[in-house]
Amino acid sequence: MSEVQKRKKKRKMSKAKRRRLRQLAVMMTFVTAAVLVLSLIIVINCISDKEDIRDKAIVEYNKGNYEQAIKLFNDSLDEYQWFSRNMDLDTRLYIADSYMELRQYDKARDIYKELREETSFYLDKDYLDTMIPLANALYSFTNEKDYAKALPDLEKAVEAGHDKLNMYIGVCYLELGNSDKMMECFNKYIDKYGLNTFIAYELSAYYLSINDLTSAESYIERGMNCEDDDYKYLLKYNRAVLLEINKDYQSAYDIVSQLHADYPDNEDIEKEYDFLYTRVNIDKEPVNGYEHEPEKSEE
């Protein structure tokens, strides 16, 4: 091969090499651009206010501001973000627990059921299997007043460790006419957590119903000294009933008058107010056809 031919061949090979390099450079440019675009898409879809909103919701939840927490949790769920499924499942669990705290047991139950159907190892299925019947039982207890229906699931929940529910079980047994089991359950709660106004009200009402005025008065006084205020207005109502039984109508009327002003929609308070009004005004005729004579103690 002559020198001229060699140079031609060399130039041809060099030209082909430069063409391949240009093609490779163009291909790398497209690949780099695609990677950048894909990275940008991922970044855009992975960055949102979801976690910040959720963190604020958890703060409100821990403060006991459950309604505000639910609003913020739902706002967090509305924020679109990739790879957030487990976080969203936990957020929904927070919402269900918030509804439990607000005693909206049907809403809590529905969310627990939805979560139970999720195929995720992140969720504690045992916890959900406990909370679903518990929410259902508390709904039966609170909203339907079906104590026989609520009792089995409440007892299972206590066996699972939710022993604070003994106070609700006590009420179930009270309503079902089993005073021994009622006292057993109330005492289990009191021994561990102390007396609260709910149990004090229920026991004072029970002792009033069987005309044990000494025990009724004791639980009224003890309940009024409890730290929580939830049922103190009903303890005041029971005190008024006790005073009425003892024929101290004016003192009873003074208590019920204030309760009637504070709770005008409470039918029991209104009925007691109407009756006591007739006594302090020396009106022998029943008001609104309501007659109420205190029971006499058996000698």
Side-chain angles (χ1 to χ4, degrees):
M1 181 181 294
S2 66
E3 288 296 325
V4 174
Q5 289 175 326
K6 288 181 179 179
R7 286 196 297 272
K8 285 183 178 180
K9 184 177 180 181
K10 187 175 181 180
R11 285 197 298 270
K12 187 176 181 181
M13 292 175 62
S14 178
K15 187 175 181 181
K17 184 177 180 180
R18 288 195 300 271
R19 185 169 61 250
R20 288 196 300 271
L21 289 173
R22 284 196 299 271
Q23 290 174 343
L24 180 61
V26 170
M27 185 176 68
M28 289 301 297
T29 299
F30 278 114
V31 170
T32 302
V35 169
L36 289 173
V37 169
L38 181 60
S39 299
L40 182 61
I41 292 173
I42 292 174
V43 169
I44 289 174
N45 285 280
C46 288
I47 295 177
S48 72
D49 293 328
K50 178 184 285 287
E51 292 187 53
D52 289 338
I53 297 172
R54 175 183 145 89
D55 288 342
K56 292 176 182 177
I58 292 173
V59 169
E60 295 300 322
Y61 176 89
N62 290 332
K63 288 180 179 178
N65 299 328
Y66 300 112
E67 291 183 352
Q68 179 63 15
I70 289 172
K71 179 183 180 304
L72 290 170
F73 280 131
N74 281 319
D75 289 344
S76 174
L77 291 175
D78 289 340
E79 289 285 323
Y80 182 76
Q81 179 176 312
W82 283 5
F83 313 118
S84 64
R85 180 169 180 261
N86 286 341
M87 181 171 65
D88 286 347
L89 290 174
D90 190 59
T91 295
R92 290 163 63 191
L93 190 59
Y94 264 112
I95 293 174
D97 290 345
S98 297
Y99 278 127
M100 287 293 285
E101 295 293 342
L102 292 171
R103 301 181 182 179
Q104 297 182 35
Y105 302 118
D106 53 336
K107 292 182 179 180
R109 176 196 58 204
D110 292 344
I111 296 174
Y112 289 137
K113 283 184 175 180
E114 291 171 1
L115 290 172
R116 187 63 180 84
E117 297 302 316
E118 294 283 349
T119 54
S120 171
F121 292 107
Y122 177 82
L123 292 168
D124 184 345
K125 301 297 186 180
D126 289 338
Y127 176 76
L128 293 172
D129 287 340
T130 298
M131 296 308 294
I132 291 169
L134 174 57
N136 207 40
L138 289 173
Y139 181 78
S140 298
F141 179 94
T142 304
N143 298 81
E144 299 176 336
K145 308 297 183 186
D146 190 340
Y147 303 106
K149 179 181 177 182
L151 185 57
D153 283 332
L154 288 174
E155 290 182 324
K156 288 179 184 177
V158 168
E159 291 174 2
H162 298 274
D163 56 356
K164 285 187 175 181
L165 295 173
N166 272 313
M167 66 177 180
Y168 294 116
I169 296 175
V171 174
C172 289
Y173 280 119
L174 170 62
E175 295 296 333
L176 295 173
N178 191 333
S179 58
D180 290 337
K181 292 291 289 184
M182 171 199 75
M183 288 303 304
E184 178 185 327
C185 293
F186 281 154
N187 284 330
K188 284 181 180 179
Y189 182 96
I190 294 169
D191 288 344
K192 187 169 184 177
Y193 300 104
L195 185 69
N196 60 26
T197 58
F198 176 80
I199 294 178
Y201 163 71
E202 292 291 347
L203 286 174
S204 62
Y206 166 71
Y207 283 118
L208 283 172
S209 72
I210 63 173
N211 209 35
D212 183 346
L213 304 186
T214 301
S215 296
E217 184 174 13
S218 174
Y219 277 105
I220 290 170
E221 293 301 323
R222 290 173 62 189
M224 293 303 295
N225 289 323
C226 289
E227 292 184 2
D228 71 287
D229 296 327
D230 295 347
Y231 289 83
K232 284 186 177 177
Y233 78 101
L234 290 176
L235 286 166
K236 291 178 181 178
Y237 171 82
N238 281 354
R239 175 176 283 165
V241 173
L242 179 62
L243 290 167
E244 173 211 318
I245 293 172
N246 289 327
K247 300 188 184 303
D248 187 351
Y249 299 124
Q250 185 61 57
S251 297
Y253 177 75
D254 292 341
I255 293 172
V256 172
S257 293
Q258 186 59 55
L259 289 174
H260 187 256
D262 294 338
Y263 304 94
D265 297 328
N266 187 298
E267 294 182 1
D268 291 331
I269 291 174
E270 182 176 10
K271 192 177 290 187
E272 186 69 12
Y273 172 82
D274 287 345
F275 167 71
L276 290 170
Y277 181 86
T278 67
R279 288 299 186 262
V280 298
N281 288 281
I282 318 177
D283 185 352
K284 302 299 182 182
E285 296 297 322
V287 177
N288 296 329
Y290 173 66
E291 298 182 5
H292 187 164
E293 291 296 332
E295 296 179 4
K296 295 181 180 179
S297 300
E298 295 181 4
E299 295 296 328

